[in-house]
Amino acid sequence: MSHLQSVLDQATDARDVPFVVAMTANARGVTFSGAAGDAREGLTASEDTAFRIFSMTKAVGSVAAMILIDRGTIGMDTPVAEILPAWNDLRVLDGFDGNEPVLRAPKTHATLRHLATHTSGMEYEFWNPDVPKYMELTGHPTVLSGLKSSLMYPLTTDPGTRWGYGPSIDWLGQVVEAVDGRRIDAFCRQEILEPLGMNDTAFDPDRLADRLSAVAMRGEDGEFRPHNLAPPADPEFYGMGHALYSTAPDYLRFLRMVLNRGQLDGNRILSEHALDAMVSDQMNGLTFQPMQSVAPLVSADVEFPQGSTHSFAFLRNETDIPGMRSAGSLSWAGVCNTHYWIDPSRDLAAVIMTQSLPFLEPRFLKTYQAYEQAVYAGL
């Protein structure tokens, strides 16, 4: 596995990443673990390094909802407003009349499937220029404020009509709370994290503070500088789109649960039937749409192979990528460049994690691709 470690060493030596931790596994266990660089001043990167995983939280939130679907208490096509009546207060933003937002009632009803596949009509301010304009004009808080009122983003399209990346999984977490009665952090701890032995995954970073890495943003001169970005402390609600902190080995246990068809080390959290539904295309004929960034300091544009879809928890590649992941592979990432993929047909799960911005900037993407190619070359 020295070829994998070489990719990590070369990336940090070239300052393509500030530091990096990467691991691979199959259903039976870990097959590679490596790290390079300093996670923060005075802290060498290692397996124990803790990360703000941001949108890698989303798959955990989707699994939480899938657990309730598996138990028959809700369904993928349950209307959101049937559980959370506040959804009925949302309107579609149809542009602006001067400085006045033009809002209308949605023409379709949002379901839990729409939330899970990012086809609910809700988009973050980083991906649709109308949303930050709306927020500026109305004073609407970002979902990263942790305020309950922040959930009430306007819709940008009618539910079920287009891919659009936004706070949908935060709403899905609220559905789980409303149906189950436990707060979402307690539900996830008791139903997912503890059964899977994910002891280093937490909503509160305090117990990981001695191992928590620093975030760096690349400046116009190409150099990394410290940048303060983290999920909100003591929020009014835990957003299942962004709230978790974790480590590479812990998240790999979550991915291995998928490879093991809903269970790990004898602890089953999903039936095989539910697992199959969760990893299947659930977009009802829609496909992933390239994401054009309106905040280039935060993220580059995001593209995947044409025809990519979304399951109930993951982006799905529907075609093979030569020398890399297979058709049916599942993936996503967190904004500070924590990434994972699962390739069930090759019995493979992998993570590559740092803490840098912009998301998927060309130099990070080069590292990610080199790592993935090296992983497959070694199989």
Side-chain angles (χ1 to χ4, degrees):
M1 293 295 182
S2 61
H3 60 298
L4 295 178
Q5 184 61 47
S6 294
V7 171
L8 310 184
D9 292 337
Q10 289 166 14
T12 50
D13 289 346
R15 298 300 285 165
D16 291 333
V17 292
F19 74 95
V20 63
V21 178
M23 297 181 70
T24 63
N26 56 31
R28 297 177 302 283
V30 173
T31 52
F32 167 76
S33 176
D38 290 333
R40 68 167 192 254
E41 189 174 348
L43 182 67
T44 302
S46 72
E47 266 195 20
D48 291 335
T49 298
F51 297 82
R52 305 150 191 82
I53 65 169
F54 282 104
S55 289
M56 282 170 63
T57 305
K58 287 180 166 69
V60 179
S62 293
V63 167
M66 201 70 214
I67 288 170
L68 296 185
I69 292 169
D70 202 14
R71 293 172 183 170
T73 54
I74 52 176
M76 287 190 188
D77 293 316
T78 299
V80 180
E82 188 176 293
I83 300 166
L84 300 173
W87 184 271
N88 281 331
D89 297 333
L90 299 181
R91 294 293 177 264
V92 177
L93 178 61
D94 258 352
F96 299 87
D97 182 3
N99 283 332
E100 284 297 316
V102 176
L103 300 165
R104 63 167 174 83
K107 298 173 183 175
T108 52
H109 296 290
T111 66
L112 305 193
R113 189 193 309 267
H114 294 145
L115 293 180
T117 58
H118 303 286
T119 57
S120 71
M122 191 170 279
E123 291 185 270
Y124 288 126
E125 59 268 33
F126 312 114
W127 302 111
N128 185 311
D130 284 350
V131 179
K133 182 176 181 180
Y134 173 89
M135 294 170 77
E136 184 179 358
L137 291 173
T138 63
H140 189 280
T142 174
V143 75
L144 285 179
S145 67
L147 298 172
K148 203 82 175 275
S149 61
S150 72
L151 285 166
M152 305 300 288
Y153 275 58
L155 305 182
T156 54
T157 52
D158 292 302
T161 61
R162 181 173 69 79
W163 160 276
Y165 190 52
S168 293
I169 310 300
D170 298 308
W171 278 88
L172 195 60
Q174 293 297 292
V175 166
V176 174
E177 282 194 4
V179 171
D180 179 78
R182 283 172 283 182
R183 210 171 67 171
I184 191 63
D185 55 323
F187 182 96
C188 288
R189 274 196 303 271
Q190 293 164 17
E191 300 285 354
I192 302 171
L193 305 181
E194 291 172 2
L196 295 182
M198 296 173 65
N199 301 319
D200 279 342
T201 301
F203 289 84
D204 180 352
D206 287 353
R207 63 185 177 84
L208 301 173
D210 60 333
R211 295 184 274 142
L212 187 61
S213 46
V215 179
M217 177 181 277
R218 197 184 298 282
E220 291 183 2
D221 61 0
E223 298 299 317
F224 283 119
R225 290 180 178 80
H227 185 76
N228 185 27
L229 182 66
D234 302 316
E236 288 183 2
F237 77 102
Y238 283 109
M240 290 311 296
H242 58 261
L244 284 173
Y245 295 76
S246 191
T247 63
D250 252 37
Y251 206 83
L252 210 53
R253 292 188 66 79
F254 179 73
L255 303 182
R256 287 180 56 224
M257 175 274 294
V258 178
L259 289 179
N260 280 284
R261 298 181 51 73
Q263 64 89 27
L264 187 67
D265 297 339
N267 293 313
R268 178 164 293 282
I269 65 169
L270 287 171
S271 69
E272 292 196 17
H273 174 76
L275 191 282
D276 287 342
M278 189 181 75
V279 302
S280 300
D281 171 18
Q282 294 294 347
M283 289 185 77
N284 285 340
L286 300 176
T287 56
F288 170 88
Q289 297 300 304
M291 298 159 63
Q292 306 295 318
S293 176
V294 297
L297 291 177
V298 175
S299 180
D301 293 345
V302 177
E303 296 188 28
F304 284 88
Q306 189 170 4
S308 295
T309 63
H310 204 282
S311 75
F312 200 79
F314 309 102
L315 187 85
R316 269 182 63 96
N317 248 73
E318 298 296 351
T319 56
D320 291 336
I321 303 177
M324 300 168 76
R325 66 192 67 174
S326 314
S329 291
L330 311 161
S331 63
W332 204 237
V335 69
C336 290
N337 283 311
T338 57
H339 297 256
Y340 68 88
W341 81 94
I342 313 165
D343 188 338
S345 70
R346 302 296 295 273
D347 188 25
L348 170 69
V351 294
I352 179 166
M353 304 170 73
T354 187
Q355 297 278 261
S356 69
L357 295 167
F359 177 71
L360 276 189
E361 58 147 346
R363 290 171 70 175
F364 177 84
L365 186 57
K366 179 179 72 172
T367 300
Y368 189 176
Q369 290 174 339
Y371 172 66
E372 183 171 343
Q373 289 165 349
V375 167
Y376 282 89
L379 290 180

